[in-house]
Amino acid sequence: MTDLLSRLGLTSSNSGAWAGGALPDAGHGTIASRNPANGDILGEIQLADVAQYEQVVATAVRVQKAWQLYPAPKRGEVIRQMADALRAKRDDLGALVSLEVGKIRGEGVGEVQEAIDIADFCVGLSRQLYGLSMQSERANHRMYEQWHPLGSIAVITAFNFPCAVWAWNAMVAAICGDAVVWKPSLKAPLVAIATHRICEEVLAKNGFSGLFGLVIGADKDVGETMIRDHRLPLVSATGSVRMGRYVGTVVAERLGRTLLELGGNNAIIVDKDADLDLALRGILFGAVGTAGQRCTTTRRLFLHRDISARFTERLVKLYEQVRIGDPLQDGVLMGPLIDEDAVTQFETAVLEATREGGTVLTGGKRIAGPGHFVQPTLISADPKMAIVKHETFAPILYVMEFFDLDEAIRMQNDVPQGLSSSIFTTSFISAETFLSARGSDCGIANVNIGTSGAEIGGAFGGEKETGGGRESGSDSWKAYMRRQTCTLNYGKDLPLAQNLRFDL
Ligand code: NAD
């Protein structure tokens, strides 16, 4: 482990403030990063204070002034080098993701691959920040719109995607000409430092050291200062609905912009005509993968009543075969939850579900021993139960029955969150109905694949309490730029729009 950490430039005590390099210890206290599989300390991090935060933002703002004038395709070349630098460290960084947040190795490496993919995507994007041109109603006038950088932006990330979610934001923002100040979760600080170092080295080589800043600090001082900071016109925040509601309100108060990526309560509908083998595999990955700690984790399952009993039996059998343990060990499919709090929330949710009339079909218990392990859990439930409408960040799947597709869609939409959804069906009509305006109300709607495991090429995000933000691919880049509508008069007259006359 020590070798791995040192290959990533980490030591036993690491700076939590980076502005074109590590800032010296501010004496503001330290936190320990612990391996959730066994409680071992991976390293310590010196917490950033508000003075260091100021230094990080001032550096980002200064460097951004030059960066925004550097042509976008040249910015693309710097991001291409970042993709290569991440590629070179992919397996090490992926292993660190596993060590720090408990994902199995494939998922840890997959997360870094996602960061590489978005960087690759951004190289092409750097030549495609297109604006429209419009037909002017006035003679000898040209009208068009163009996109300018926003400036420096804040990125706040959740623990469960400690590398990829920052990259979705930072790579796109950098292509757009912005600087990025990152405040990661205190539950995954080492991945943030290692990722930052890799990218900072590339920036420094290209003369833009400090374009990406990193502050690992407490919400109550550094976080609060960040969301109130007028120098940061956009705050992109990923995390719980509770956090998003608060951050969104504070930023709106100063009329800043937010891009919110919040909790989900994702469902899979399995219709009676579905390929059931396919559905089983999709559900298992969606509900058990990442130990149920993805925003897109499958939390609710709606089974057509004709197939429900036999399908549930098969699912229970599959659940009981899932190998749980050290996420870096081959064959293990489920690692630990992030911390003791998460285990308590899991236990509370199981208790609440049974109190409301649900029945545990399998699982439901924490696993004794070191680490924060729980059993993957299936609970037969009723969609009206309050706990079913709540996102518990753990591997609990509520199983419910439906009679026809309209009922299934109604139940699937009847929660406050709106992130990801899917249907397993071989019927073209059912699939199209699910994808139509009277179908799923989520930001992501899939057919014959599960709710999790999105590709970077699409816009990622959800509706309702999930926050409405879109990150990553498609035209999500527009959130990181300001639009300017331009009209040029190349004639000798000054006609007004709407034929208005204003002559003496
Ligand atoms: P969390 O809300 O506890 O924390 C998220 C981040 O917000 C952390 O960095 C935290 O320090 C920061 N934060 C909290 N209060 C703040 C404040 N006052 N000022 C500034 N920053 C503040 O979430 P978590 O437990 O780390 O992650 C799990 C949650 O994230 C789940 O709800 C999950 O669904 C959600 N999530 C959503 C997406 C998505 O794209 N929709 C992706 C990943 C995770």
Side-chain angles (χ1 to χ4, degrees):
M1 187 186 81
T2 321
D3 281 358
L4 171 81
L5 297 180
S6 75
R7 284 201 300 278
L8 291 166
L10 298 166
T11 61
S12 54
S13 182
N14 304 276
S15 174
W18 292 70
L23 300 184
D25 188 0
H28 201 55
T30 57
I31 52 164
S33 166
R34 283 177 189 277
N35 181 342
N38 54 24
D40 288 354
I41 292 185
L42 300 168
E44 290 202 334
I45 299 92
Q46 302 140 18
L47 283 179
D49 66 2
V50 172
Q52 287 182 323
Y53 166 82
E54 286 299 327
Q55 216 174 324
V56 174
V57 176
T59 305
V61 167
R62 177 176 50 75
V63 179
Q64 192 270 339
K65 298 255 184 297
W67 179 250
Q68 68 177 353
L69 301 179
Y70 201 50
K74 292 201 166 142
R75 302 198 288 255
E77 164 54 20
V78 178
I79 299 300
R80 187 195 64 73
Q81 294 171 30
M82 258 178 225
D84 282 350
L86 285 165
R87 235 176 228 111
K89 295 272 161 90
R90 187 190 70 163
D91 291 355
D92 280 349
L93 192 53
L96 182 64
V97 171
S98 298
L99 281 172
E100 192 168 47
V101 303
K103 293 186 187 192
I104 59 170
R105 191 188 290 275
E107 290 190 80
V109 170
E111 163 149 13
V112 183
Q113 185 60 47
E114 222 174 316
I116 296 165
D117 290 346
I118 191 69
D120 285 348
F121 175 89
C122 283
V123 180
L125 179 64
S126 70
R127 292 178 187 269
Q128 298 176 71
L129 302 172
Y130 300 132
L132 294 173
S133 73
M134 298 86 172
Q135 296 296 323
S136 173
E137 65 190 50
R138 288 170 280 185
N140 300 322
H141 279 55
R142 185 162 77 83
M143 191 160 65
Y144 69 99
E145 62 185 25
Q146 59 181 356
W147 295 85
H148 288 309
L150 263 186
S152 298
I153 68 154
V155 174
I156 296 173
T157 52
F159 81 83
N160 66 326
F161 274 91
C163 170
V165 166
W166 170 78
W168 289 356
N169 283 278
M171 300 298 171
V172 177
I175 285 299
C176 293
D178 299 335
V180 177
V181 180
W182 182 12
K183 198 207 75 57
S185 164
L186 294 183
K187 296 175 189 171
L190 290 181
V191 172
I193 295 172
T195 307
H196 176 82
R197 283 183 64 110
I198 293 169
C199 296
E200 164 58 28
E201 256 174 43
V202 173
L203 288 171
K205 234 180 5 199
N206 286 275
F208 293 102
S209 174
L211 183 78
F212 290 164
L214 176 66
V215 269
I216 301 176
D219 296 336
K220 67 174 171 28
D221 47 35
V222 166
E224 287 290 330
T225 311
M226 176 180 241
I227 59 182
R228 290 184 159 74
D229 194 333
H230 285 265
R231 291 167 297 179
L232 306 175
L234 170 69
V235 176
S236 173
T238 302
S240 58
V241 170
R242 189 179 48 79
M243 178 280 294
R245 189 170 279 129
Y246 176 73
V247 168
T249 309
V250 173
V251 179
E253 229 270 314
R254 64 171 168 94
L255 300 182
R257 288 193 208 174
T258 46
L259 197 170
L260 299 175
E261 292 286 1
L262 311 175
N265 192 351
N266 319 293
I268 291 182
I269 296 171
V270 184
D271 216 341
K272 60 173 186 265
D273 53 26
D275 177 333
L276 299 182
D277 293 337
L278 210 64
L280 276 172
R281 285 166 51 200
I283 293 162
L284 193 70
F285 176 64
V288 173
T290 330
Q293 299 171 109
R294 284 192 188 217
C295 50
T296 50
T297 289
T298 313
R299 309 204 179 278
R300 298 175 297 139
L301 177 62
F302 296 108
L303 301 175
H304 191 281
R305 68 177 187 187
D306 289 0
I307 53 120
S308 169
R310 174 83 190 102
F311 190 84
T312 306
E313 244 174 66
R314 290 182 67 193
L315 194 57
V316 168
K317 275 203 190 109
L318 269 188
Y319 260 58
E320 288 170 354
Q321 287 165 33
V322 169
R323 249 184 84 189
I324 304 163
D326 176 354
L328 285 169
Q329 222 173 63
D330 285 348
V332 166
L333 283 188
M334 199 181 108
L337 294 185
I338 188 71
D339 56 17
E340 203 44 39
D341 260 9
V343 175
T344 306
Q345 280 170 33
F346 164 85
E347 289 180 314
T348 308
V350 173
L351 210 66
E352 182 58 22
T354 47
R355 203 187 54 75
E356 287 194 75
T359 308
V360 176
L361 302 171
T362 182
K365 299 225 156 39
R366 75 171 299 152
I367 297 171
H372 312 294
F373 291 94
V374 299
Q375 296 172 328
T377 300
L378 285 173
I379 296 180
S380 162
D382 182 291
K384 290 197 198 69
M385 286 162 48
I387 194 71
V388 171
K389 297 185 192 287
H390 174 82
E391 180 199 46
T392 303
F393 222 51
I396 300 174
L397 180 62
Y398 300 108
V399 185
M400 292 157 281
E401 276 187 9
F402 68 91
F403 173 65
D404 64 18
L405 186 59
D406 284 346
E407 185 192 20
I409 291 173
R410 202 171 49 249
M411 293 193 300
Q412 104 105 41
N413 289 345
D414 189 23
V415 288
Q417 311 84 351
L419 181 53
S420 185
S421 58
S422 51
I423 186 169
F424 281 83
T425 179
T426 51
S427 154
F428 159 76
I429 292 173
S430 300
E432 287 290 353
T433 303
F434 180 74
L435 298 174
S436 74
R438 69 184 173 93
S440 165
D441 64 0
C442 293
I444 298 168
N446 297 332
V447 175
N448 293 331
I449 61 166
T451 55
S452 69
E455 297 180 25
I456 59 93
F460 181 89
E463 301 301 329
K464 303 192 290 187
E465 287 191 358
T466 301
R470 290 296 185 278
E471 283 172 356
S472 198
S474 183
D475 65 352
S476 305
W477 59 269
K478 290 178 177 169
Y480 304 84
M481 301 198 85
R482 61 185 171 86
R483 185 195 310 241
Q484 191 167 61
T485 303
C486 310
T487 311
L488 275 95
N489 178 1
Y490 54 93
K492 294 248 184 269
D493 205 357
L494 192 69
L496 298 177
Q498 297 88 43
N499 280 329
L500 185 70
R501 313 274 332 158
F502 202 75
D503 300 327
L504 287 174

